[in-house]
Amino acid sequence: MDGAAILFILAVAGVAAIFLFALKGLLDQLPDVIKSAGQVRDEWERFKKKGDEADKPPELPPSVAVSPDDEEPPAAA
């Protein structure tokens, strides 16, 4: 009986150690997953903004009116 109890205790400790090792590996990857999710969210919002801007007509630069008095005479060749 003593041998079975020792084996049971070692088995439980082994399973707990494997579980903690796996949990640590998962938690170590969590910050990268959260960072990637934030980047995906930012890119999605940027994509949606580009879609909204595509619906609008492009803005033209303001035209500059030149009065005939402001024109310079052509240079002599």
Side-chain angles (χ1 to χ4, degrees):
M1 281 301 274
D2 289 337
I6 292 173
L7 286 177
F8 179 74
I9 291 171
L10 288 175
V12 169
V15 169
I18 292 171
F19 174 74
L20 290 175
F21 183 75
L23 182 64
K24 182 187 180 307
L26 181 68
L27 292 177
D28 286 344
Q29 294 176 3
L30 201 57
D32 292 334
V33 171
I34 293 170
K35 182 179 175 183
S36 296
Q39 290 174 347
V40 168
R41 185 190 65 234
D42 294 342
E43 289 298 324
W44 180 255
E45 289 174 1
R46 188 175 299 133
F47 173 74
K48 293 299 269 183
K49 281 185 179 179
K50 282 185 180 178
D52 293 341
E53 291 173 2
D55 295 340
K56 298 177 185 176
E59 294 182 14
L60 299 175
S63 60
V64 178
V66 177
S67 65
D69 298 335
D70 292 342
E71 289 183 22
E72 295 182 18

